[in-house]
Amino acid sequence: MISKRRRAFHASNHNSNVPGVEPQFLLGNLLQSGALSGKPYFQIFSDYQEKYGDIFKYRFGPHSVVAFNRLDHVQYIFAHRHIYDHAKLASETFSLLTPNGLIALTGAKFKRHARVMLPMFKKSKVVPYLETVNDCTDELLLQKWRADGNEKLQTDIIRQCQDLLLCIITSIAFDYDLKTAESSSPVRLAIKEFVDNFVKILLLSGTPTIFSRLYLKFNWKYQKALVVLRKEADDIIRKERARQEKEQEIENAINTKRRNLISLLVSSLNEDVGGDYKQGLTCEELLDEILLSIVAGFETTSTVLAWFIFHMSKYPAIQEKIKEELKLHNVTKKTSLTNELLDKLEYIDCVLKEVLRFSPIMDGTLRTLVEDDQIDGVQLRKGDSVYIGLNNIHRDKRLWKLDPDQFLPERFLDTDDKNQPIWTFGGGHRACAGQDLARFELKVICTRLMQSLTFLDSGDEQNSGGFLQRITCLPKRLAVYCKFD
């Protein structure tokens, strides 16, 4: 049971009773645990929990964290937002790439950016883009797979999922069309380079930041990509400002104003936020938010989609149940999806929840204390950081009534597991800003795919799963046949 907060401690080593591995100089536990050699973090923290229990220490280089891995722990931390704020390690890492991006900010600056950014990612704002998501799915996946025929083994599913979600986020947020962009176009190549380096820097989290700074500074490919992306962002902003200025001349402008992200961002431009005026974003801040939105807008969602395809190929009975639900609501491959129709489809919601629970997409999240506290007898002080083992909670046999090591979407229908929360997108006031958009995109895409085809297992090593650690944890080996119904 979690004890009451205490604001002052007298012990010199205030959490010396917490077990863990003795850290190495500079590297902490990164080398010992296998993180630097590519071992997925969810496996690392699962192993540590098995060895040391629900509470243990881990060092990301010089950054020490206390890991908490029970449901009451995560509920307590997320509920006490005034104590547990955005992690210092996360801010330092993301500041290397997008120093003015929402995910790198804390305090008053975070609140100012949040007032601009968060409203545009709510479900009510993204539902009008259902047709955009549907069209992108048709053009980038279904048309390609249909042209390839049922006999071709699709071995590049992960990249195809990433291309699809990149197309969707740029269409929704910035009115930028990547469906017809050549694979060798400067913008597409620049996005890929930026994301690849984003991954590398995140995997180096915890090592001295000077290494990451020097790597980025002297990486000419990354610097070139940054120039291309900033120029593209500048062009988007310039065109949007011109459009808004022209629109002001129209008598009914307020009724014709578009509600995409870029229109909101440009409307918020204010170069005087450093003074007494505390609203809006500067141009530099806006550019970082665009870059961050490109990465955050597709990485997690494309990973979930890849895992969905993998699991469907392994569980044909579950695919069949999805298709039975579609038939029940008279949904054929020619049926146009609407938000009202999607709301009726309950089983596919259960499947997507189970994908989020079962697949180790995100291992956990971090918080840093802004005042002293105590959890389960562990003394924590202002400035300490805690790690919340979200994936460990998703697999906690003490929590789930149906075997958590089994892929069972039915657990979310009429069982005791039905109302258990899924934490893939985090929780509390620093939860993923785009989770409503991600969930909406996933339901539209997966429903559209199930309207038209069935995923078949290749039956060999090529579709054996495994794990590849990037920003998220991807299936390492994914290859399926796409059989059109």
Side-chain angles (χ1 to χ4, degrees), residues 219-263:
N219 184 336
W220 67 269
K221 287 186 177 180
Y222 170 78
Q223 294 297 332
K224 182 180 178 181
L226 208 54
V227 170
V228 171
L229 291 176
R230 289 195 177 277
K231 181 181 182 302
E232 193 67 26
D234 277 330
D235 288 344
I236 292 173
I237 293 169
R238 177 179 52 78
K239 291 175 182 177
E240 178 61 21
R241 295 187 80 168
R243 187 198 66 78
Q244 290 188 12
E245 289 172 3
K246 184 177 180 180
E247 195 174 66
Q248 291 299 317
E249 301 172 4
I250 303 174
E251 198 169 312
N252 63 343
I254 192 170
N255 295 321
T256 61
K257 184 176 180 181
R258 292 182 298 181
R259 297 296 179 182
N260 56 19
L261 178 60
I262 191 61
S263 66

Side-chain angles (χ1 to χ4, degrees), residues 165-228:
L165 270 301
L166 183 59
C167 170
I168 291 172
I169 189 61
T170 51
S171 295
I172 290 177
F174 311 120
D175 281 341
Y176 192 91
D177 186 4
L178 279 180
K179 294 196 297 294
T180 57
E182 295 290 336
S183 59
S184 59
S185 72
V187 174
R188 185 182 287 275
L189 292 176
I191 291 173
K192 182 181 184 302
E193 186 65 30
F194 182 80
V195 172
D196 286 347
N197 283 281
F198 213 107
V199 172
K200 292 174 183 176
I201 295 303
L202 289 184
L203 292 179
L204 288 173
S205 294
T207 59
T209 56
I210 185 64
F211 297 155
S212 297
R213 291 185 186 280
L214 290 174
Y215 169 79
L216 292 176
K217 182 177 180 179
F218 294 105
N219 184 336
W220 67 269
K221 287 186 177 180
Y222 170 78
Q223 294 297 332
K224 182 180 178 181
L226 208 54
V227 170
V228 171

